[in-house]
């Protein structure tokens, strides 16, 4: 029997399939655009390689597209047929079982099944990366870090994928607020594996959350570092745009949007989220974004009933509201409210409850009912981690909440949250500091205070 990059046995039939599989593992860890090509090459060399079929199905489910669930189910069928032709290892069987669990709307159990592999095969990067992805989608930050803490010591610098594992560890640390250690491990990750877009991305998160704007721009200003990546490269540009936005460089932000973030007008939910989140921030800042909302809304309008991931649903709603399509955004809110009551997935019910509050809050904000928006977004605030995504991504909803407070006249509450925000970022956050300055200036009288609520936010950014 053959072995993969980590020395784990794999039930491939020939050397060509083994080489293709090793290339698939490295490409998966690198977020490389060539991952499907390598996986296809593997299956062409060995159509009865059950592990590859199961891995393909799990990768498809991470895309959170309703129409791909059927394709993922076909992958499960192919894996089962392959198992009837050839004995596979218990480790490989658990990957097949993880796919079956996720297709049964039990993603957390799927992650646990994958993580059970790591107990006896701690260097199984496929199980590690896929469970990492699922935990990220579920907002399971503590578990995401716990698993990395357990397996990271098994990868010394001589392991061919050690850098990528360090990048995953860095991101898990960052999401739990261990910024200094996360930065060290993220920088080490890209030293060991220059193609590690996820590790470079983890450092960008650290720099974002600690208010180090100039460092962030320097870290991300050379796109050659992630030129090999799939659409994740658009997300890297999104991070660069956030740093430019924080410096008030609005024309450069729009250029990055047009030439990077939406250079390819895909309908991947992550790409729509990048675009919608940035346009919303620009709109809060009073920037005229022209017709850019329409392109996103046309795509989001086709996903109103997808119901695969609450994080995606909320960003579809943001895109629709930006284009003035409040009825469709309201339909997403209604679907989330219903799912919060009756969906068969525990994870979907949990995330939908907070997601529905946030969606209705965004609808109220767009309608100019800032008091209701503040009430709903405030109610959603503590539970939004369950929708998945990163702190930096969910910050869009925090900003919407703050704007609702400011515009509804709840200035004391807004000032309290802004003060906390400024402290978390080491006292360097223009979004918070300039709004705080205007709120404090407005305390001299009711007329001035009302002026704060009506001030175009381009002046406050």
């Amino acid at each position: 029997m053959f072995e993969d990059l980590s020395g784990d046995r794999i039930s491939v039939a020939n050397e060509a399939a083994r080489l293709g599989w090793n290339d698939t593992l490295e490409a998966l860890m690198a977020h490389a655009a060539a991952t499907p090509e390598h996986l296809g090459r593997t299956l062409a060399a060995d159509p009865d390689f059950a592990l590859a079929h199961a891995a393909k199905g799990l990768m498809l489910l991470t895309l959170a597209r309703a129409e791909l669930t059927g394709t993922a189910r076909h992958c499960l069928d192919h894996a089962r047929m392959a198992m009837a032709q050839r004995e596979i290892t218990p480790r490989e069987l658990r990957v097949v079982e993880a796919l079956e669990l996720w297709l049964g709307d039990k993603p957390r159990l799927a992650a646990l099944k994958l993580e059970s592999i790591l107990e006896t095969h701690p260097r199984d990067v496929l199980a590690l990366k896929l469970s990492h992805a699922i935990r990220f989608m579920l907002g399971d930050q503590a578990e995401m870090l716990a698993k990395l803490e357990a397996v990271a010591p098994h990868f010394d610098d001589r392991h061919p994928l050690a850098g990528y594992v360090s990048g995953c560890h860095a991101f898990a640390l960052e999401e739990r607020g261990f910024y200094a250690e996360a930065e060290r491990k993220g920088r080490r990750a890209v030293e060991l594996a220059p193609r590690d877009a996820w590790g470079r991305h983890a450092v960008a998160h650290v720099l974002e959350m600690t208010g180090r704007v100039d460092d962030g721009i320097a870290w991300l200003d050379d796109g050659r570092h992630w030129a090999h990546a799939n659409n994740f490269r658009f997300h890297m540009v999104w991070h660069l745009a956030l740093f430019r936005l924080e410096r008030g460089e609005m024309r450069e932000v729009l250029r990055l949007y047009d030439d990077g973030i939406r250079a390819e007008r895909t309908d991947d939910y992550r790409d729509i989220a990048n675009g919608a989140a940035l346009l919303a921030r620009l709109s809060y800042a009073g920037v005229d974004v022209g017709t850019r909302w329409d392109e996103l809304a046309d795509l989001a309008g086709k996903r109103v009933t997808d119901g695969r991931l609450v994080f995606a649903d909320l960003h579809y709603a943001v895109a629709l509201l930006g284009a003035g399509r409040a009825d469709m955004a309201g339909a997403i809110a209604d679907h989330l409210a219903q799912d919060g009551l009756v969906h068969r997935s525990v994870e979907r019910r949990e995330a939908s409850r907070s997601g529905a509050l946030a969606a209705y809050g965004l609808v109220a904000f767009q309608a100019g009912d800032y008091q209701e928006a503040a009430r709903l977004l405030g109610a959603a605030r503590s539970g939004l981690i369950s929708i998945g995504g990163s702190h930096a991504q969910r910050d869009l909803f925090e900003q919407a909440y703050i704007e609702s407070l400011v515009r509804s006249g709840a200035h004391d509450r807004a000032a309290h949250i802004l003060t906390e925000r400024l402290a978390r970022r080491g006292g360097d956050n223009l979004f918070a500091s300039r709004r705080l300055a205007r709120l404090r200036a407005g305390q001299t009288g009711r007329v001035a205070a009302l002026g704060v609520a009506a001030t175009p936010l381009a002046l406050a950014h």
Side-chain angles (χ1 to χ4, degrees):
M1 186 172 279
F2 295 90
E3 294 182 347
D4 66 13
L5 278 174
S6 290
D8 289 320
R9 292 189 304 145
I10 49 175
S11 59
V12 291
N14 52 62
E15 177 68 3
R18 184 188 74 84
L19 293 174
W21 181 246
N22 282 343
D23 288 343
T24 301
L25 292 178
E26 190 278 338
L28 173 67
M29 299 298 285
H31 290 250
T35 305
E37 175 188 338
H38 294 311
L39 185 56
R41 180 163 54 91
T42 302
L43 286 169
D46 184 3
D48 290 329
F49 184 23
L51 177 61
H53 286 294
K56 179 180 178 180
L58 287 163
M59 292 179 202
L60 288 171
L61 292 181
T62 66
L63 300 178
R65 298 168 69 95
E67 71 272 21
L68 292 180
T69 56
T71 310
R73 201 168 297 280
H74 288 314
C75 291
L76 178 60
D77 293 339
H78 284 303
R80 286 171 172 162
M81 288 188 289
M83 289 164 55
Q85 299 298 318
R86 181 190 309 158
E87 184 179 358
I88 67 173
T89 69
R91 179 179 69 93
E92 293 171 315
L93 175 60
R94 278 180 270 183
V95 179
V96 178
E97 292 170 341
L99 174 57
E100 185 174 13
L101 285 166
W102 200 354
L103 283 168
D105 282 332
K106 298 175 182 177
R108 192 166 279 119
L109 289 181
L112 285 168
K113 181 66 69 172
L114 291 166
E115 289 156 2
S116 72
I117 297 171
L118 299 173
E119 295 172 8
T120 51
H121 298 82
R123 293 186 298 181
D124 186 329
V125 292
L126 177 72
L128 175 62
K129 186 66 172 178
L130 291 175
S131 71
H132 187 69
I134 296 172
R135 295 293 186 185
F136 175 64
M137 293 172 77
L138 296 175
D140 288 346
Q141 296 174 342
E143 289 299 318
M144 184 166 60
L145 178 57
K147 297 307 175 287
L148 265 301
E149 294 278 302
V151 303
H154 294 273
F155 291 84
D156 61 30
D157 289 357
R158 294 169 296 176
H159 192 285
L161 301 178
Y164 297 114
V165 174
S166 185
C168 291
H169 196 184
F171 182 75
L173 285 163
E174 181 277 326
E175 287 297 286
R176 293 293 285 171
F178 300 108
Y179 297 132
E181 188 178 357
E183 183 173 356
R184 284 195 300 273
K185 289 193 179 296
R187 290 183 183 274
R188 182 59 176 159
V190 298
E191 288 176 8
L192 292 172
R195 280 162 49 91
D196 185 16
W198 191 250
R200 185 170 293 277
H201 156 263
V203 175
H205 272 267
V206 171
L207 301 176
E208 158 75 14
M209 299 305 293
T210 55
R212 294 159 57 190
V213 175
D214 291 343
D215 289 346
I217 291 172
W219 181 246
L220 295 178
D221 220 16
D222 187 349
R224 291 175 296 180
H225 293 302
W226 54 84
H228 66 281
N230 54 26
N231 61 324
F232 189 65
R233 68 189 186 276
F234 305 140
H235 185 65
M236 299 294 282
V237 179
W238 180 79
H239 276 283
L240 177 58
L242 291 190
F243 289 122
R244 295 291 187 184
L245 180 62
E246 186 64 16
R247 287 217 306 212
E249 300 171 358
M250 302 307 183
R251 288 187 179 179
E252 177 62 8
V253 173
L254 289 172
R255 187 194 69 77
L256 289 170
Y257 181 94
D258 294 334
D259 296 345
I261 294 168
R262 295 302 292 165
E264 296 178 20
R265 297 189 170 188
T266 76
D267 66 345
D268 187 297
Y269 84 87
R270 295 161 296 190
D271 300 336
I272 292 175
N274 291 333
L278 188 59
L279 291 186
R281 285 169 167 84
L282 287 165
S283 297
Y284 295 160
V287 176
D288 181 2
V289 300
T291 61
R292 291 177 177 87
W293 279 118
D294 294 331
E295 178 259 328
L296 289 178
D298 288 344
L299 298 172
K302 300 173 183 177
R303 299 284 170 187
V304 170
T305 61
D306 247 28
R308 294 299 303 169
L309 185 66
V310 175
F311 177 89
D313 296 333
L314 284 176
H315 284 86
Y316 297 148
V318 171
L320 291 164
L321 288 168
R325 304 177 195 181
D327 55 339
M328 299 179 81
I332 290 177
D334 292 342
H335 286 306
L336 288 170
Q338 184 71 6
D339 282 352
L341 295 173
V342 301
H343 200 279
R344 70 171 183 162
S345 167
V346 173
E347 293 84 358
R348 177 76 185 180
R349 289 200 304 272
E350 177 187 358
S352 291
R353 287 192 284 269
S354 295
L357 288 169
Y360 284 125
L362 293 169
V363 171
F365 185 96
Q366 187 70 15
D369 189 348
Y370 301 122
Q371 187 171 355
E372 179 67 356
R375 184 185 72 82
L376 291 165
L377 289 166
R381 193 176 180 223
S382 63
L384 278 179
I385 191 172
S386 66
I387 72 169
S390 66
H391 290 302
Q393 289 173 311
R394 291 189 305 275
D395 191 50
L396 169 65
F397 308 109
E398 182 76 351
Q399 290 189 28
Y401 177 47
I402 292 169
E403 296 303 338
S404 300
L405 292 170
V406 171
R407 297 185 190 196
S408 67
H411 297 152
D412 289 345
R413 176 65 175 155
H416 176 75
I417 294 173
L418 287 165
T419 300
E420 289 182 336
R421 179 187 183 90
L422 197 60
R424 285 196 304 270
R425 286 166 168 78
D428 188 7
N429 179 243
L430 287 180
F431 177 91
S433 60
R434 291 191 176 177
R435 282 162 173 79
L436 274 173
R438 289 190 172 276
L439 287 173
R440 287 165 180 162
Q443 289 175 353
T444 58
R446 190 176 188 284
V447 173
L450 289 172
V452 172
T455 299
L457 293 173
L459 303 176
H461 197 286

